[in-house]
Amino acid sequence: MKKTIFSIMALAMAMVSCTNEEIITPAEQYGYINVNVTNEPLEENVAQTRATVADYKTWVVTAGDIDLTKDNKVPAGTYKVTAKSHTNMDAALALEDKWGVAYYEGSAENIVVAAGQTATAEISCGKAKNGRITTSFNLAEVFTDVSIEVGRELTFNKDNQSKKAYFEPGEVSYTLKYKYNGSEEKSIPGAVTVAAGTEHIISVSSNSNGTITVNITYDDTFADGDDQNINFDAATGNQA
């Protein structure tokens, strides 16, 4: 469900009385822009209503080259109003020690601001513009030192499998590493085609016979992602 992220409230137009009782109004060539931004969250807690100044100032909201988080008074004219959760995609992916966070962006075209009037820009960012990879490990004791390395030198293992790694849409390479029954380390390369607003889950599991399976699925609450299955021989631990 789409929820309001924040609202940049219009500033009241002050009226000043001079000594000669003449009323002076703000310059007539200026108007105001209210911005309402909505989205469908990638994180469960992202879509909480943000109404305070401190919250919406963490976003990047512009009308042309005017920063609306500082002042929503603009010269009369026609604008494209853009809202971003971060400066750009790269900035979002660099956060959380390069594990990244969800990135949202949207815009409203042809917002006409008349002199002395207030226009409203309704911006729907939709789902996150990046996707994420998560992992799950459920292995027999004969498999040890199991890890999955993904882009930006990030490593999943049984101790941090709750982590989420965010990526720009496109192919992301990964390497599954493990030891089978005390053997030397084995590694299997693979790739996930990350889609925007989609959580791709790399699940590593084994059965009682010692067979290990890597299954890549997607979170049903987002768009369909790709899936893969990699099977291993029960006797040797090698890829079948």
Side-chain angles (χ1 to χ4, degrees), residues 4 24 36 59 64 92-93 97 112-113 115 151 171 188 200 228:
T4 299
I24 300 176
N36 296 319
W59 281 58
L93 298 181
D97 292 328
V112 179
V113 180
E171 186 174 276
I188 301 295
H200 304 267
Q228 301 178 17

Side-chain angles (χ1 to χ4, degrees), residues 68-236:
L68 294 180
T69 65
K70 295 180 178 179
D71 188 354
N72 67 339
K73 183 176 73 174
V74 299
T78 301
Y79 294 90
K80 176 180 179 180
V81 180
T82 299
K84 302 177 182 179
S85 59
H86 303 81
T87 305
N88 51 40
M89 176 80 74
D90 289 341
L93 298 181
L95 296 175
E96 302 295 330
D97 292 328
K98 297 184 179 180
W99 288 87
V101 296
Y103 173 71
Y104 298 91
E105 180 179 345
S107 62
E109 303 274 359
N110 300 319
I111 303 301
V112 179
V113 180
Q117 301 297 314
T118 297
T120 299
E122 299 286 349
I123 299 177
S124 177
C125 291
K127 292 184 177 181
K129 300 302 183 285
N130 51 2
R132 72 188 182 199
I133 294 175
T134 62
T135 58
S136 174
F137 296 89
N138 185 19
L139 296 163
E141 293 183 358
V142 291
F143 295 96
T144 60
D145 299 325
V146 181
S147 66
I148 297 175
E149 296 180 358
V150 295
R152 301 201 302 276
E153 300 180 349
L154 303 176
T155 300
F156 290 99
N157 53 48
K158 290 188 291 185
D159 294 329
N160 71 351
Q161 58 185 305
S162 62
K163 297 283 287 184
K164 300 174 178 64
Y166 290 83
F167 294 93
E168 191 170 356
E171 186 174 276
V172 176
S173 298
Y174 71 86
T175 301
L176 167 65
K177 295 184 177 181
Y178 68 97
K179 292 181 181 180
Y180 175 76
N181 201 22
S183 66
E184 294 184 356
E185 183 178 80
K186 303 176 185 293
S187 63
I188 301 295
V192 179
T193 302
V194 173
T198 303
E199 178 178 277
H200 304 267
I201 308 165
I202 305 177
S203 300
V204 183
S205 61
S206 64
N207 59 23
S208 58
N209 296 325
T211 299
I212 185 172
T213 299
V214 178
N215 187 29
I216 303 179
T217 59
Y218 58 88
D219 190 318
D220 289 332
T221 60
F222 304 115
D224 290 354
D226 66 339
D227 54 53
Q228 301 178 17
N229 287 283
I230 304 175
N231 294 313
F232 293 81
D233 185 83
T236 65

Side-chain angles (χ1 to χ4, degrees), residues 12-30:
M13 296 178 61
M15 300 185 69
V16 181
S17 176
C18 296
T19 57
N20 62 0
E21 298 185 352
E22 177 185 0
I23 302 300
I24 300 176
T25 61
E28 292 184 357
Q29 69 269 27
Y30 284 88

